[in-house]
Amino acid sequence: MELNPVRATQSISAVLTDVDGTLVTKDKVLTERALKAVRHLRERGIVFTITSGRPPRGMRMLVEPLGLTMPMAAFNGGVIVLPDMSVLDERQLPDYLLPALIDMILAHGLDVWLFRSTDWYVRSRDAPRVDREASTIQFPPVVLPTFDDVLSGIVKIVGVNEDHPRVAACEAAVQTAFGTQVSAARSQPHYLDVTHPMANKGVVIERLSRYLGIPLDRIATLGDQPNDVLMFKKSGLSIAMGNASEEVKRQATFVTTSFGEEGFANAVEQFILPQAEPASGPAVKATGQLHRLGQSLWLDNITRDLLSSGTLQRYIDELSVTGLTSNPTIFEYAIKNSSAYDAAIGGQTAQGRSVEELFFELAIDDLTRAADLFRPIYDRTNGVDGWVSLEVSPLLAYDTAGTLAAAKDLFARAGRPNLMIKIPGTPEGLPAIEEAIFSGVPINVTLLFSREHYFAAAEAFLRGIERRMDDGLKADVASVASVFVSRWDSAVAAKVPAELRSRLGIAAAKRTYKAYRSLLSSPRWQRIYNAGARPQRLLWASTGTKDPAASDVMYVKALAAPFTVNTMPEGTLKALANHGDIPTLLRADGGDCEEVLARFAGAGIDIYALANQLQHEGAKSFVKSWNGLMTVIASKTAALAKG
């Protein structure tokens, strides 16, 4: 039955569906036709995800059969999770409202259930529908005689009664009494869901639209209950199930058959697939998804051709790149393999500059141009993002005074607020980092490998900021701490059993992330935040896969984490955009990192000694690249002079 033929002509690029009463049968089963319909959507390039009043754990059993990779909305949007159940966002009910809400629901004769993200609470295991709900969401409730000790962190209150008019009356009463303070709607005739005011299916579809960059009118929605109408009203194509009430059906573009008559599959085949058109644009790519999840993507490359051809601008516009890093190896390759620098080298040579001076002129020219491209991002994010990085001479890795002097000089010469100076986190580099931060120079601390290296870099940063605070200076000097990942795996590839290959770098990074998250919540960090400081973000470096047998986006997918940076080579960036997806987020507790590291220790790998060895070897490799870079420039200078 077609209800709105005008809106029904809109192309559809994404599908958001309710679960109970819509996607699954009365017995909570995903039919073969429903699974086939979802596969057809995916084959056509249509984004598919789900929203439900269920808790996150109650949606877990749907992830694998549906092949879900997009964020899912539990508790009608009260909690947004990725398919691995990692929480992207949680919107709790205000603690002070809970007693009043519970009193009103009880006064209307409804039983009350309380839900947190991971647990739910009931007053009696024998209360109506408790057993059925436990079967649906596949975990039991916690039974409490009183809710007095759990009135915090509540994401959803459910009022339960088999008297449907009574539930409807309670819904109206809560809406009248609490207005915009909560969202109250029936998810089933016997359930009243009360959530945060910004936790409803209308908000869910708005957030999905922003996350994917897909206009609301190109999203199709399916549902069967009054709380689904909010997403119906905002979507380009809405489909009510045949088992929905007449009022719900009137709000939809189309009506399909009931959930007992393959209504979901019929709707996909009849109404959605004929209008299916894959979305395009940066937000749909995995690079855009990663950016939306809160991780910054920086490019680990710089060449003059990259700038002049418009490629870097395209990466910014199409691949969500928000920053850039460089190092001597990158510049050696760029200058050696391009004629783009020849004119500048010839002109600077005539002025009698040394090879090192000539290099920094070339590098500063490239990086200031890049900084200008990223400047709108820097301004828009208030200096959180939009950075480029220039390294001091690797010959200074063990020279504290020389490093500090070079850092100040290069930052001043560049004259761009969004340019960071890279200083290695060697024992000799740490005092220079502290002094540079104190002097107001933004620093990218490089060559960090372990948790202990990170702590040392963070301490240098903190001391620099605290000294600025003591002197009455602004505390908002930016810094990142660059942790190298793939070099761990290259170092042990021939020394460990096959099942441990390509696992050490990720485990060491996870342990470092755990330390980072712990430090962010410490009173010391909180104090400098209050003074206007910005956190020293963790940056994943060396994220190109070296093992030909491993995925080319292995490190990127494993280290997807909010409030971090991933700087990656062009090849990795393109691979992520072309065939990546981000189904998981790095856990704040480091996940299985300690278990994996223990297995490496059992295989004879001394993690602590290897970290220091890798840092020392990294400094040596940069010196080698630096010397090679100087040779390349000298050779070009000589050749151009002869010409």
Side-chain angles (χ1 to χ4, degrees):
M1 178 170 60
E2 183 174 304
L3 299 178
N4 191 335
V6 176
R7 296 178 70 198
T9 61
Q10 176 64 48
S11 297
I12 297 302
S13 301
V15 173
L16 175 65
T17 183
D18 172 52
V19 175
D20 298 296
T22 302
L23 179 62
V24 299
T25 68
K26 184 176 182 180
D27 296 324
K28 312 303 179 185
V29 172
L30 282 166
T31 68
E32 283 301 317
R33 277 197 64 203
L35 292 171
K36 185 177 179 181
V38 173
R39 286 197 297 271
H40 284 166
L41 289 170
R42 188 173 295 108
E43 289 165 1
R44 293 286 296 274
I46 305 304
V47 174
F48 176 81
T49 193
I50 59 178
T51 179
S52 173
R54 295 184 184 190
R57 288 167 63 182
M59 301 169 76
R60 180 182 296 168
M61 74 290 296
L62 302 172
V63 172
E64 185 174 348
L66 292 171
L68 296 174
T69 60
M70 287 288 114
M72 307 177 296
F75 294 134
N76 301 323
V79 178
I80 306 294
V81 295
L82 283 173
D84 73 331
M85 299 297 114
S86 53
V87 176
L88 288 180
D89 185 36
E90 180 178 271
R91 299 186 175 186
Q92 301 175 357
L93 285 162
D95 293 352
Y96 58 83
L97 287 181
L98 296 176
L101 287 164
I102 292 171
D103 286 348
M104 177 168 284
I105 295 170
L106 290 174
H108 280 77
L110 280 62
D111 192 22
V112 171
W113 302 343
L114 302 183
F115 285 87
R116 288 176 174 162
S117 291
T118 55
D119 295 299
W120 64 300
Y121 305 94
V122 301
R123 296 183 301 167
S124 170
R125 190 67 169 82
D126 299 323
R129 291 199 167 263
V130 170
D131 282 341
R132 183 171 180 82
E133 183 71 9
S135 175
T136 297
I137 64 178
Q138 297 187 12
F139 69 95
V142 177
V143 180
L144 298 172
T146 174
F147 293 142
D148 291 347
D149 294 333
V150 294
L151 293 182
S152 64
I154 300 300
V155 181
K156 184 174 77 164
I157 302 175
V158 179
V160 186
N161 198 294
E162 298 295 348
D163 184 340
H164 298 175
R166 185 183 293 270
V167 177
C170 186
E171 174 189 47
V174 172
Q175 290 174 346
T176 299
F178 293 94
T180 59
Q181 299 174 83
V182 301
S183 176
R186 285 165 289 162
S187 59
Q188 297 290 333
H190 42 267
Y191 287 159
L192 171 63
D193 291 355
V194 181
T195 56
H196 186 279
M198 296 304 290
N200 60 67
K201 291 181 178 178
V203 175
V204 169
I205 189 174
E206 289 178 340
R207 296 177 72 187
L208 180 66
S209 174
R210 289 194 298 270
Y211 178 79
L212 294 172
I214 296 176
L216 286 166
D217 62 6
R218 294 187 62 178
I219 300 177
T221 54
L222 299 93
D224 70 308
Q225 290 298 321
N227 67 349
D228 296 316
V229 171
L230 289 174
M231 65 180 183
F232 284 2
K233 290 180 177 180
K234 295 179 179 179
S235 60
L237 173 63
S238 55
I239 303 167
M241 302 297 290
N243 46 287
S245 69
E246 291 304 314
E247 176 59 27
V248 170
K249 290 177 182 178
R250 280 194 292 271
Q251 304 294 322
T253 314
F254 295 117
V255 176
T256 183
T257 54
S258 74
F259 68 158
E261 302 170 297
E262 297 287 2
F264 172 80
N266 288 333
V268 170
E269 294 166 6
Q270 183 178 356
F271 303 127
I272 298 176
L273 287 175
Q275 297 171 224
E277 181 179 324
S280 58
V284 180
K285 298 182 174 70
T287 48
Q289 295 172 32
L290 203 57
H291 178 73
R292 292 287 185 183
L293 293 176
Q295 185 175 63
S296 297
L297 277 66
W298 292 2
L299 178 67
D300 192 27
N301 193 26
I302 182 72
T303 70
R304 196 149 291 186
D305 293 327
L306 194 69
L307 293 162
S308 301
S309 65
T311 302
L312 180 57
Q313 185 64 60
R314 181 169 59 82
Y315 289 162
I316 294 170
D317 296 338
E318 299 178 10
L319 301 185
S320 304
V321 171
T322 57
L324 177 148
T325 53
S326 68
N327 61 49
T329 304
I330 287 171
F331 273 112
E332 178 187 11
Y333 182 86
I335 296 173
K336 182 179 182 179
N337 294 283
S338 173
S339 61
Y341 295 89
D342 291 359
I345 290 174
Q348 295 290 343
T349 301
Q351 299 179 30
R353 297 181 182 273
S354 70
V355 174
E356 182 172 308
E357 290 173 335
L358 178 51
F359 162 69
F360 279 118
E361 289 290 339
L362 299 173
I364 288 173
D365 186 34
D366 279 0
L367 287 166
T368 53
R369 289 175 63 188
D372 291 343
L373 289 180
F374 287 112
R375 183 61 184 268
I377 297 171
Y378 173 85
D379 292 338
R380 185 173 67 247
T381 61
N382 196 29
V384 171
D385 225 331
W387 292 91
V388 302
S389 295
L390 171 64
E391 192 150 0
V392 299
S393 166
L395 302 179
L396 301 172
Y398 303 103
D399 179 351
T400 300
T403 295
L404 177 61
K408 290 180 177 180
D409 176 64
L410 291 173
F411 182 65
R413 287 167 61 184
R416 297 295 189 276
N418 57 326
L419 184 139
M420 284 184 176
I421 303 299
K422 295 176 75 173
I423 297 178
T426 58
E428 293 80 5
L430 295 171
I433 292 164
E434 177 185 335
E435 291 297 330
I437 293 293
F438 175 65
S439 300
V441 178
I443 296 298
N444 178 341
V445 185
T446 186
L447 285 179
L448 305 176
F449 288 87
S450 66
R451 171 185 59 189
E452 290 71 28
H453 289 169
Y454 163 69
F455 276 142
E459 178 67 21
F461 169 74
L462 285 167
R463 286 183 179 179
I465 294 296
E466 288 166 342
R467 288 172 57 196
R468 289 183 65 84
M469 290 164 54
D470 290 343
D471 282 10
L473 301 172
K474 292 185 68 174
D476 61 345
V477 182
S479 179
V480 295
S482 296
V483 176
F484 286 51
V485 184
S486 66
R487 296 189 185 194
W488 283 99
D489 295 319
S490 299
V492 301
K495 303 175 184 178
V496 297
E499 62 269 20
L500 290 180
R501 286 177 64 92
S502 300
R503 298 189 66 186
L504 181 54
I506 292 171
K510 286 181 175 180
R511 172 187 268 184
T512 306
Y513 184 67
K514 178 182 178 181
Y516 168 65
R517 290 292 296 266
S518 176
L519 192 57
L520 282 179
S521 62
S522 70
R524 186 180 183 190
W525 277 75
Q526 302 280 339
R527 187 173 72 85
I528 71 166
Y529 293 167
N530 287 341
R534 63 187 66 214
Q536 181 190 46
R537 286 196 295 171
L538 204 60
L539 179 148
W540 307 124
S542 185
T543 55
T545 304
K546 308 297 192 297
D547 183 355
S551 164
D552 51 2
V553 292
M554 170 180 65
Y555 296 115
V556 177
K557 292 176 69 172
L559 300 176
F563 212 59
T564 62
V565 181
N566 194 318
T567 185
M568 59 190 78
E570 276 187 273
T572 304
L573 177 71
K574 293 176 182 177
L576 179 64
N578 291 336
H579 59 257
D581 57 68
I582 311 297
T584 63
L585 279 183
L586 190 54
R587 287 170 47 178
D589 64 1
D592 63 352
C593 65
E594 297 303 331
E595 175 189 341
V596 174
L597 291 172
R599 293 183 65 187
F600 277 96
I605 304 299
D606 185 335
I607 304 298
Y608 302 99
L610 181 56
N612 292 331
Q613 176 187 327
L614 289 171
Q615 187 178 74
H616 180 68
E617 290 176 352
K620 285 179 61 178
S621 71
F622 279 168
V623 168
K624 182 179 179 181
S625 294
W626 178 263
N627 291 334
L629 172 60
M630 295 299 105
T631 299
V632 166
I633 295 175
S635 297
K636 281 214 168 189
T637 299
L640 290 168
K642 289 180 181 178

